[in-house]
Amino acid sequence: MCRQFFIFCILVSAIIGSEAADTCNSSIFPSTFKFGAGTSAFQIEGGWNEDGKSRSWWDWFSNSYSIYINNATGNTASDSYHQYKQDIASMVAMGLPNYRFSLSWTRILPKGLNYSINQAGVDYYNNLLDELEAAGIEPLVTIYHWDTPYALDFLGGWTNPKMVDYFVAYADIAFNLFGDRVKLWATINEPKSFCEGIPSVVVNLFPEMPIGTYEYLCGHHAILAHAKAYRLYKEKYQATQQGRVSLVLDLGYNMGLTNSTVDEDAAERKNLFEFGWFAHPIVYGDYPDIMQEVIANNSARQGFPVSRLPKFTSSEKLLVQGAYDLIMLNTYTSYMITMANYSNSPSYQNDLQTSTSQSSEWLSSGLSTFKVHPEGTRKVLKWISDTYASPEIIITENGFSDNTATLNDTERISFINGTLTNIRLSMCDDGVNVTGYFYWSLIDSMEWNSGYTVKFGLVQVDFDSENHTRTLKNSAYYYKNVIETRLVNG
Ligand SMILES: *[C@@H]1O[C@H](CO)[C@@H](O)[C@H](O)[C@H]1NC(C)=O
Ligand SMILES: *[C@@H]1O[C@H](CO)[C@@H](O)[C@H](O)[C@H]1NC(C)=O
Ligand SMILES: *[C@@H]1O[C@H](CO)[C@@H](O)[C@H](O)[C@H]1NC(C)=O
Ligand SMILES: *[C@@H]1O[C@H](CO)[C@@H](O)[C@H](O)[C@H]1NC(C)=O
Ligand SMILES: *[C@@H]1O[C@H](CO)[C@@H](O)[C@H](O)[C@H]1NC(C)=O
Ligand SMILES: *[C@@H]1O[C@H](CO)[C@@H](O)[C@H](O)[C@H]1NC(C)=O
Ligand SMILES: *[C@@H]1O[C@H](CO)[C@@H](O)[C@H](O)[C@H]1NC(C)=O
Ligand SMILES: *[C@@H]1O[C@H](CO)[C@@H](O)[C@H](O)[C@H]1NC(C)=O
Ligand SMILES: *[C@@H]1O[C@H](CO)[C@@H](O)[C@H](O)[C@H]1NC(C)=O
Ligand SMILES: *[C@@H]1O[C@H](CO)[C@@H](O)[C@H](O)[C@H]1NC(C)=O
């Protein structure tokens, strides 16, 4: 838009204090832009039962049902519990200024509850944070990245309303112990994935799982848990720690399969079910209208006495609305969307009622559902900016996987180049306020139900060597150059 309405945009830019359109050079990133890379505890740490740590749901699941995940467990993973200094050495070698990692709930609170703190777990994160500080690397810390204490699953996990307080008590400990060194916090990573994605797979193993109800209870409590943790931070820690807090939401670019109104509406419906499910409450105080209507209608047709989507009380609406300092976005790929027929069996997927495909022209990657379409990143950023009042956005995950761990990873380099090009166009031409990009992932790791077959890393991990030796891939050197010069297409 800023190309068509040049003068208007200069005026607007001056007013909102953005980079002026005439000085926004789309091939060079501003010096304040945060480049980083990310990981999560279960995927890299290993040391699953060491030094007082108890099992998370994923430890239990991967050891009990590993046959469903390529016989993989996270028991050793990338061994970062022992090799974190190698991780930091890799970051230093590529000049990485920002690192996103997550805390393992069961390493810090083996009982899940806050009455018993495991000092060895606290020591691990203190050491990691101290080493990062010594290396001049700024942390972005995720408090919860899917590894629910198995103990709390016996109490219903995220479907239990008490989980809100259990999470807030855990977050309180994290803020208190680590907040002197952490200025960017993500409370919860991708609630859609653990509330909907994982259950929709796991229901094949456990058909009694009450799908259609589970997803929305889980999502509701995740939103409340995030909001209460956010408010607690503002009241108890903001003045002394001066940090910023959000939750991480994921969205691919959903485009209509054709440009028909029906397909374009279907794509918008999917955006609202996926991202709006969480973003609408924190920005506007309630679920998107379409979710409220569709789920209420479907629940009634299916014989439920009330909607399967819980309602926020008026005080909860006040609690959740505005509980974010910026938007944190994970985005990987694009989808083509059309309406599907109504199905009477209750589930989030049937409420969503769309079907999804990907273009055969998009390059394949290690994860079959993550075909390459970097233009989608720009579209998704614009949709979020337009729909949620032009927030500041940090991309907390985006990356390319292969199945080989090759060091000569030219496809990953083109993927990052294509994505960064689109991010910069989004900033300069669409006026979207993107302030950071965290590539996923720093190192090859345990990729959930794909096990070790899918590699996202800038850094290769030799899973067969004694010390899980790290080696920088060519993409790490490419990224190093981007970080140094701030130039894309360089
Ligand atoms: C982006 O957001 C940050 C934080 O709110 C703000 O300081 C900055 O001015 C914004 N930049 C633009 C270009 O709007
Ligand atoms: C953008 O910046 C690059 C690198 O500094 C420079 O080569 C190029 O000429 C600039 N483009 C414009 C339009 O100013
Ligand atoms: C997993 O282990 C089972 C039993 O040992 C074996 O039959 C199967 O081939 C293995 N699958 C993979 C993907 O390695
Ligand atoms: C545990 O959490 C409760 C609130 O649920 C709080 O009152 C108590 O101080 C916490 N204890 C510790 C050790 O943080
Ligand atoms: C869809 O695209 C075609 C070809 O560009 C165009 O003729 C048609 O008017 C478009 N339809 C709608 C609903 O925008
Ligand atoms: C919900 O049902 C009402 C009454 O049957 C109908 O008017 C409305 O269009 C439905 N809404 C949706 C989103 O399906
Ligand atoms: C949807 O239902 C209609 C009418 O029953 C049927 O003709 C059509 O094939 C169905 N479409 C899909 C994608 O199942
Ligand atoms: C790396 O891969 C590219 C493209 O596949 C190829 O052209 C190049 O020769 C390879 N380089 C090395 C050192 O193998
Ligand atoms: C692994 O690390 C240990 C301790 O740092 C070291 O003594 C040993 O030589 C390393 N082994 C290899 C194969 O690098
Ligand atoms: C990045 O993409 C541009 C085209 O958008 C291309 O000219 C350039 O060669 C690419 N750079 C790398 C390192 O792939």
Side-chain angles (χ1 to χ4, degrees):
M1 191 187 98
C2 280
R3 288 209 165 137
Q4 284 109 305
F5 304 102
F6 191 64
I7 301 293
F8 172 78
C9 287
I10 290 180
L11 287 174
V12 169
S13 300
I15 292 162
I16 64 176
S18 69
E19 276 177 285
D22 60 344
T23 62
C24 196
N25 179 332
S26 62
S27 48
I28 184 155
F29 279 85
S31 60
T32 50
F33 192 87
K34 290 181 190 297
F35 286 107
T39 60
S40 86
F42 175 75
Q43 293 178 272
I44 66 162
E45 283 181 7
W48 72 302
N49 59 1
E50 284 181 51
D51 300 338
K53 178 179 174 297
S54 74
R55 289 183 296 173
S56 70
W57 183 88
W58 275 95
D59 291 315
W60 165 77
F61 184 70
S62 65
N63 282 283
S64 308
Y65 294 94
S66 62
I67 190 157
Y68 290 95
I69 52 178
N70 290 288
N71 294 347
T73 71
N75 296 2
T76 309
S78 313
D79 201 27
S80 288
Y81 185 59
H82 302 109
Q83 306 299 338
Y84 68 94
K85 289 186 182 172
Q86 274 201 71
D87 294 339
I88 293 171
S90 302
M91 294 179 223
V92 168
M94 73 172 83
L96 195 78
N98 299 278
Y99 177 48
R100 173 177 179 228
F101 66 93
S102 81
L103 306 174
S104 159
W105 191 331
T106 55
R107 201 178 288 292
I108 297 171
L109 302 177
K111 307 293 183 190
L113 306 174
N114 73 351
Y115 69 90
S116 158
I117 298 180
N118 179 33
Q119 191 55 43
V122 173
D123 292 345
Y124 173 67
Y125 295 111
N126 274 331
N127 292 338
L128 174 59
L129 284 166
D130 289 347
E131 295 269 341
L132 286 168
E133 189 169 51
I137 299 165
E138 275 183 44
L140 188 174
V141 174
T142 311
I143 296 173
Y144 170 79
H145 199 120
W146 306 359
D147 43 0
T148 309
Y150 189 46
L152 298 185
D153 266 294
F154 284 101
L155 299 177
W158 285 103
T159 59
N160 178 356
K162 296 293 286 179
M163 189 70 168
V164 174
D165 292 331
Y166 303 155
F167 176 80
V168 173
Y170 163 47
D172 192 356
I173 285 170
F175 295 145
N176 181 39
L177 292 174
F178 309 125
D180 56 336
R181 286 151 292 171
V182 179
K183 301 302 158 202
L184 261 181
W185 290 100
T187 53
I188 292 179
N189 181 69
E190 292 190 11
K192 179 168 72 70
S193 296
F194 63 85
C195 291
E196 186 281 315
I198 296 168
S200 72
V201 173
V202 168
V203 71
N204 297 317
L205 277 173
F206 307 110
E208 296 83 359
M209 177 174 254
I211 214 92
T213 299
Y214 182 104
E215 299 94 316
Y216 303 120
L217 278 177
C218 171
H220 199 69
H221 299 141
I223 293 164
L224 292 171
H226 158 74
K228 273 191 134 174
Y230 177 90
R231 301 292 176 202
L232 176 112
Y233 185 89
K234 296 292 147 180
E235 281 156 25
K236 197 165 165 185
Y237 299 105
Q238 185 68 53
T240 49
Q241 298 186 354
Q242 307 277 316
R244 295 193 303 153
V245 184
S246 192
L247 82 174
V248 173
L249 302 179
D250 58 307
L251 186 68
Y253 171 49
N254 295 308
M255 68 182 92
L257 178 63
T258 69
N259 67 350
S260 71
T261 311
V262 173
D263 286 358
E264 287 185 349
D265 288 353
E268 180 65 5
R269 176 184 175 112
K270 193 158 188 274
N271 285 335
L272 291 169
F273 263 80
E274 295 191 333
F275 198 84
W277 183 4
F278 305 98
H280 256 67
I282 66 163
V283 178
Y284 300 120
D286 208 345
Y287 294 115
D289 288 345
I290 191 162
M291 287 188 79
Q292 297 188 43
E293 278 177 33
V294 165
I295 300 164
N297 276 10
N298 290 354
S299 300
R301 281 162 98 169
Q302 292 156 354
F304 288 85
V306 293
S307 179
R308 289 179 278 102
L309 183 70
K311 288 185 167 41
F312 293 110
T313 64
S314 46
S315 61
E316 285 170 345
K317 286 179 186 173
L318 294 174
L319 171 78
V320 301
Q321 183 169 15
Y324 67 109
D325 295 328
L326 71 160
I327 296 286
M328 295 182 175
L329 168 71
N330 293 353
T331 188
Y332 287 90
T333 187
S334 300
Y335 305 101
M336 300 162 113
I337 311 302
T338 188
M339 281 303 286
N341 283 340
Y342 172 74
S343 156
N344 204 45
S345 56
S347 76
Y348 168 92
Q349 285 300 335
N350 288 337
D351 294 330
L352 172 57
Q353 210 190 318
T354 57
S355 63
T356 294
S357 56
Q358 290 186 305
S359 170
S360 57
E361 287 167 19
W362 302 341
L363 180 72
S364 295
S365 74
L367 267 184
S368 58
T369 50
F370 279 12
K371 287 189 150 197
V372 174
H373 186 249
E375 298 80 359
T377 301
R378 177 173 175 186
K379 306 270 192 173
V380 107
L381 287 167
K382 177 147 172 49
W383 183 83
I384 292 170
S385 193
D386 289 349
T387 312
Y388 296 105
S390 311
E392 178 190 353
I393 303 173
I394 289 183
I395 296 179
T396 34
E397 287 182 30
N398 170 267
F400 174 85
S401 63
D402 58 36
N403 304 116
T404 63
T406 177
L407 295 176
N408 184 22
D409 54 343
T410 51
E411 288 175 332
R412 180 167 294 107
I413 292 172
S414 330
F415 177 91
I416 300 173
N417 182 27
T419 305
L420 291 178
T421 302
N422 277 283
I423 291 171
R424 196 60 191 132
L425 288 171
S426 167
M427 295 166 72
C428 286
D429 290 9
D430 303 338
V432 179
N433 192 2
V434 189
T435 58
Y437 173 83
F438 286 70
Y439 178 83
W440 187 272
S441 170
L442 177 71
I443 58 176
D444 290 338
S445 64
M446 179 350 166
E447 184 49 38
W448 309 108
N449 57 338
S450 304
Y452 296 92
T453 59
V454 170
K455 326 272 189 180
F456 275 96
L458 296 167
V459 177
Q460 181 198 68
V461 172
D462 181 352
F463 292 98
D464 298 322
S465 73
E466 184 194 353
N467 288 346
H468 284 65
T469 308
R470 275 76 162 140
T471 309
L472 269 59
K473 300 179 189 178
N474 286 352
S475 57
Y477 293 106
Y478 162 78
Y479 199 35
K480 178 180 203 279
N481 186 56
V482 170
I483 293 165
E484 268 167 22
T485 61
R486 311 214 146 246
L487 275 174
V488 280
N489 302 340

